[in-house]
Amino acid sequence: MCRHCIKYGDGTKWYLNPKNYSDEVIYGESTKVKMEDTMVGQLLGVKGTIQEIMTTAQRFKYDIGFGENIDGVFQDLDDDNARTMREGLPDLMDKAVGGQIVPLEDAEKIIDLNEGDIFVLPCICRKYYGGIKKMSCMFLRPAAKPLQENVSWDTPNKMVSKEEAKKMVREFDKEGCFHGIFWCPAPVPVMLCNCEYPYCIALRARFHYNIVDTYRKGENVSLVDPNKCNGCGGTPRCQVRCKFGALKYSPSSGKVVVNQMQCFGCGLCRTVCPNDAITLIPREEIPQLINVW
Amino acid sequence: MCGEIKKMVTIRPIINYDKEKCGDPSVCLKCIKICPYNVLAYRPMETPEPPNPPKDWTVVSTCRVMCTYPTCKLCIEVCPNSALNITIPS
């Protein structure tokens, strides 16, 4: 259980707690923090509550790459700034935006818990870093309607039903994109992402500058059953799917092992295993991993 | 002998971009699509007023730690207007 689950989970995972999808929380006290009073807000030069920034017309102004200040924040940190962000961020990220990786079944549950339709926009990370327009950014209730009203006319967008959204998520899973839920602010789930490295800006911030709270590890880790794994004859399929370098193939034993310290618990590896050797287990079952996020 | 401790600073290549030579990057996007580490990105010059789309775009360099210049010169080679060049700070 991560600190969000302890604080906002009521015994379950924070993003599976129905309370966090209710009006009471979405428009509650925790969402009233003004960004200009926090370090993140000052660095970005933005004003208003994080929900005003992320879910109204302002969002399109401060989207990744927009605005001049944002370049200095995540994209090209020098060593000193990276250290400052690393140390000062956990508390601040809770007030702003941050994400956590979720496996497919949890992503589907999130879609079920969300009230109403889901608004899909092209992924901003892939757009700015690769010139690719891929419809993979899914906005939940707090953002769906306001964004639909304010989206610019040249941006492709669509409102999808729960069933369609689930189908899309399953297809992304098949393709090899992992899922992440973003809070804005904690514990309000606002965005369901289907990400990949090297495009995802949150993952870049984490991998290049060690800023953990931009994209936290999931609540699960994968586990390989050595009795079932046969290493696919030397070319394991699961290893190709891992974005985090957690799966290692040993030529001597002819099996795959998971480095659970590196595993993010996205669950992509298990879907391609022909022998069903990989399962996802809750992180808290392994005591060493309780504080590894 | 306890001299000044030198600060460890990661060397990052400096990516110089000439906006005048380039023109409008949002129509070409060759350098952005070719960069294997996605160091190059593009963003609007000015914040647009929603729901209007942004007009003028510029190329920016992000996460320069990932750039492998001088081994990789793909962006420099692909640019039709030679608007990009990279230098390594000493």
Side-chain angles (χ1 to χ4, degrees), chain B residues 21-73:
Chain B
K21 277 188 191 169
C22 172
D24 186 1
S26 70
V27 273
C28 169
L29 292 182
K30 276 182 186 152
C31 55
I32 286 144
K33 285 192 173 155
I34 208 160
C35 181
Y37 299 101
N38 299 95
V39 172
L40 295 174
Y42 72 117
R43 70 162 171 81
M45 293 282 275
E46 277 163 14
T47 306
E49 235 3 92
N52 293 320
K55 284 186 201 100
D56 205 5
W57 299 78
T58 181
V59 172
V60 288
S61 51
T62 66
C63 285
R64 283 174 298 144
V65 267
M66 294 294 285
C67 181
T68 54
Y69 181 85
T71 331
C72 164
K73 292 174 189 160

Side-chain angles (χ1 to χ4, degrees), chain A residues 65 75-77 128-129 204, chain B residues 12 38 42-43 51 63-64:
Chain A
Q75 302 186 354
D76 212 359
L77 295 178
Y128 290 118
Y129 298 119
R204 285 162 78 106
Chain B
R12 287 142 212 252
N38 299 95
Y42 72 117
R43 70 162 171 81
C63 285
R64 283 174 298 144

